[in-house]
């Protein structure tokens, strides 16, 4: 009897350790449309990927065109040609893409590398923002610090923290609440 309990306890312990590894959903194909809620981490890849329902966990996507309109409670990591995140994210967002659009509330940090990046005016970023790219447009509210590197930056939003900006051309139409450093060839 004691041996059976020991085997049962060991089996339960093994299942508890192994369960998080299996607690993920994987989807792929030419066109992937995720229209049902997910209650674990979600990994998706395809030519066109659309996530339109809530993800209770992390989201990792690679695709030619990626659109996320469903809220995500964890982190989001996306790589794609055209990336649109139009949802609320509970934690960090990391994006690499040719054209990147961010709209919604981000719970913590945002890191973007892209050719053309736009942060919508209704966006609220609760952490720090690091953005690198050719054409950068920041219209939303950044509650943390902003670090920007690239060709052109248009800052129309509000940065409640400090800034560290190294771009060729910067256009300041917004508000920077704290000190910072701006290095640019052209300042308007």
């Amino acid at each position: 009897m004691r041996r059976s309990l020991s085997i049962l306890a060991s089996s339960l312990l093994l299942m508890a350790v192994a369960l998080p590894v299996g607690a993920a959903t994987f989807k792929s194909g030419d066109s992937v449309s995720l229209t049902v809620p997910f209650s674990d981490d979600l990994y998706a890849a395809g030519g066109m990927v659309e996530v339109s329902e809530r993800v209770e966990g992390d989201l990792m996507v690679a695709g030619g065109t990626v659109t996320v309109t469903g809220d995500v409670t964890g982190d989001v990591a996306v790589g794609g040609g055209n990336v649109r995140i139009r949802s609320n994210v509970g934690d960090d967002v990391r994006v690499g893409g040719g054209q990147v659009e961010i709209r919604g509330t981000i719970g913590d940090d945002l890191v973007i590398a892209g050719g053309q990046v736009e942060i919508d005016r209704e966006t609220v970023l609760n952490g720090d923002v690091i953005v690198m790219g050719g054409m950068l447009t920041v219209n939303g509210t950044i509650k943390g610090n902003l670090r920007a590197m690239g060709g052109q930056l248009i800052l129309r939003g509000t940065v409640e923290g400090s800034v560290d900006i190294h771009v060729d051309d910067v256009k300041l139409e917004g508000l920077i609440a704290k000190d910072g450093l701006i290095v640019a060839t052209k300042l308007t």
Side-chain angles (χ1 to χ4, degrees):
M1 178 71 170
R2 212 160 211 239
R3 185 167 186 234
S4 296
L5 286 175
S6 178
I7 292 171
L8 177 62
S10 297
S11 297
L12 288 174
L13 180 61
L14 262 174
M15 285 176 46
V17 171
L19 189 60
V21 173
T25 301
F26 300 88
K27 300 285 183 177
S28 65
D30 289 336
S31 181
V32 179
S33 183
L34 305 164
T35 58
V36 296
F38 289 88
S39 59
D40 54 15
D41 296 341
L42 176 60
Y43 299 83
M48 184 166 57
V49 179
E50 181 180 353
V51 180
S52 60
E53 286 295 328
R54 183 176 180 86
V55 176
E56 295 279 343
D58 296 336
L59 174 65
M60 184 172 199
V61 180
T65 299
V66 177
T67 304
V68 180
T69 56
D71 291 346
V72 179
T73 61
D75 293 327
V76 171
V78 178
N82 295 308
V83 178
R84 292 181 294 276
I85 298 177
R86 299 174 176 165
S87 63
N88 300 317
V89 177
D91 204 359
D92 300 322
V93 174
R94 295 169 193 90
V95 179
Q99 293 186 345
V100 179
E101 175 194 337
I102 304 291
R103 179 174 45 196
T105 299
I106 308 298
D108 201 5
D109 298 336
L110 172 65
V111 178
I112 300 177
Q116 184 173 343
V117 175
E118 182 172 355
I119 298 173
D120 187 78
R121 64 182 172 86
E122 296 178 17
T123 300
V124 176
L125 303 152
N126 288 303
D128 295 332
V129 174
I130 299 172
V131 60
M132 301 162 278
M135 175 64 179
L136 314 170
T137 305
V138 179
N139 297 311
T141 300
I142 299 171
K143 302 232 180 228
N145 302 317
L146 169 65
R147 183 168 188 192
M149 296 148 279
Q152 181 181 30
L153 170 68
I154 300 171
L155 178 61
R156 294 187 183 115
T158 300
V159 180
E160 295 181 5
S162 61
V163 298
D164 183 5
I165 298 171
H166 297 263
V167 295
D168 296 332
D169 182 7
V170 65
K171 186 174 188 178
L172 297 176
E173 299 174 353
L175 173 67
I176 300 170
K178 294 186 179 176
D179 62 352
L181 173 67
I182 299 175
V183 177
T185 307
K186 181 179 176 186
L187 176 65
T188 55

